[in-house]
Amino acid sequence: NAGVTQTPKFQVLKTGQSMTLQCAQDMNHEYMSWYRQDPGMGLRLIHYSVGAGITDQGEVPNGYNVSRSTTEDFPLRLLSAAPSQTSVYFCASSFGQSEAFFGQGTRLTVV
Amino acid sequence: GQQVMQIPQYQHVQEGEDFTTYCNSSTTLSNIQWYKQRPGGHPVFLIQLVKSGEVKKQKRLTFQFGEAKKNSSLHITATQTTDVGTYFCAGAGGGNKLTFGTGTQLKVEL
C-alpha cells in the first residue's frame, strides 16, 4: 500500500528557479490538495482538486500552479521560487471531506 | 473565508497530567477532524466528528463536537511520552475545503 507518495523529500532552489513537486495516490481518491506548513501557522491550503480536470485555489495560491490530468497525480509547480516559499509542503488525498491521507512531505529551501 | 483557531499553541505537561486543546471555527462546520503530527512526520488522521454535541473516545483520548458545530476539543487523560506531537483540528465547511487550525504542540516531560 503506497498511499500518497511525494517526491522529492528535500530540495534546495535558488531564487527565480522553477520546479515541480510531485504527488501521486493509489487509493482512487477524487479529492487532492496541497498544503504548506510554516512554524506557528499550521497547515495552509494552497490549491485543491475535486477530480480530474478540476482545480481551485486555496488560502495561499500565489506563486503556485497545479493541474489534475489524472485521478492519481496532482503536481504542484513553483513558477519562480522566492525565499518566502521556503516551507514544508504536504500533499493529501481523500474521498470528499472524509479522512485525509498525507504524503511524507517535501522540505523546500529557497536561497 | 472560513477560519479555524486553536488554543493553546504550546503545552508542556508532566507525564500523567491531563491535556486539552480547543478548536473554534468562524463558521458552522459539516464535520470536524483531528490529526496528530509527530516531530518530523506528517499529519495522521485520528477521528472525525459529524453530529452536533457528539462525543467520541479512543482509549485515553476524548473528542467533543460543540452543539453549534463551530467548536471542538480534544482531551487526553494521563498523558504519556508517546502522546508528544502537534495536534491539529480541521474543519470541513462548504466548497470541499478542509481548513486546518494552527495546531497545539504537546510536550510531555518525565
Side-chain angles (χ1 to χ4, degrees):
Chain A
N1 281 342
V4 179
T5 304
Q6 278 185 247
T7 55
K9 285 188 171 57
F10 301 94
Q11 182 71 50
V12 179
L13 288 179
K14 293 183 179 179
T15 297
Q17 286 185 318
S18 62
M19 80 159 293
T20 299
L21 278 62
Q22 301 292 344
C23 177
Q25 54 93 8
D26 62 358
M27 297 172 282
N28 203 32
H29 288 162
E30 75 273 16
Y31 187 86
M32 296 186 74
S33 52
W34 277 102
Y35 295 87
R36 60 177 289 173
Q37 184 173 31
D38 303 291
M41 304 289 286
L43 291 154
R44 292 184 291 169
L45 183 65
I46 305 171
H47 285 285
Y48 66 101
S49 168
V50 298
I54 306 169
T55 64
D56 205 348
Q57 296 181 350
E59 183 186 351
V60 288
N62 292 339
Y64 308 94
N65 272 359
V66 292
S67 60
R68 184 96 180 268
S69 55
T70 67
T71 300
E72 293 78 19
D73 300 298
F74 191 43
L76 178 72
R77 297 183 189 83
L78 279 69
L79 309 173
S80 178
S84 61
Q85 293 178 306
T86 293
S87 187
V88 180
Y89 291 85
F90 287 102
C91 176
S93 74
S94 66
F95 283 121
Q97 293 182 332
S98 63
E99 173 184 357
F101 292 82
F102 283 80
Q104 299 292 318
T106 296
R107 206 168 280 275
L108 175 68
T109 302
V110 182
V111 297
Chain B
Q2 180 182 316
Q3 292 186 335
V4 178
M5 304 301 296
Q6 204 172 336
I7 55 169
Q9 188 174 1
Y10 302 99
Q11 186 79 60
H12 288 202
V13 298
Q14 296 289 322
E15 189 178 39
E17 292 181 337
D18 291 356
F19 159 77
T20 305
T21 174
Y22 300 91
C23 182
N24 287 287
S25 170
S26 59
T27 59
T28 301
L29 302 169
S30 58
N31 73 67
I32 195 153
Q33 300 170 23
W34 285 91
Y35 293 79
K36 178 183 178 181
Q37 184 178 25
R38 293 183 186 275
H42 61 280
V44 175
F45 176 84
L46 293 176
I47 207 161
Q48 178 175 286
L49 304 170
V50 179
K51 298 177 183 176
S52 169
E54 189 170 14
V55 178
K56 286 188 176 181
K57 292 190 176 184
Q58 288 180 350
K59 297 183 180 177
R60 294 178 295 104
L61 278 61
T62 302
F63 304 85
Q64 293 188 331
F65 200 10
E67 293 291 339
K69 300 184 76 173
K70 294 180 73 173
N71 61 286
S72 181
S73 65
L74 158 59
H75 179 81
I76 302 178
T77 304
T79 55
Q80 300 175 358
T81 55
T82 53
D83 295 326
V84 164
T86 300
Y87 293 84
F88 292 98
C89 63
N96 292 299
K97 292 183 186 179
L98 196 61
T99 302
F100 278 77
T102 48
T104 297
Q105 185 178 345
L106 173 64
K107 293 191 175 180
V108 181
E109 299 171 356
L110 291 171

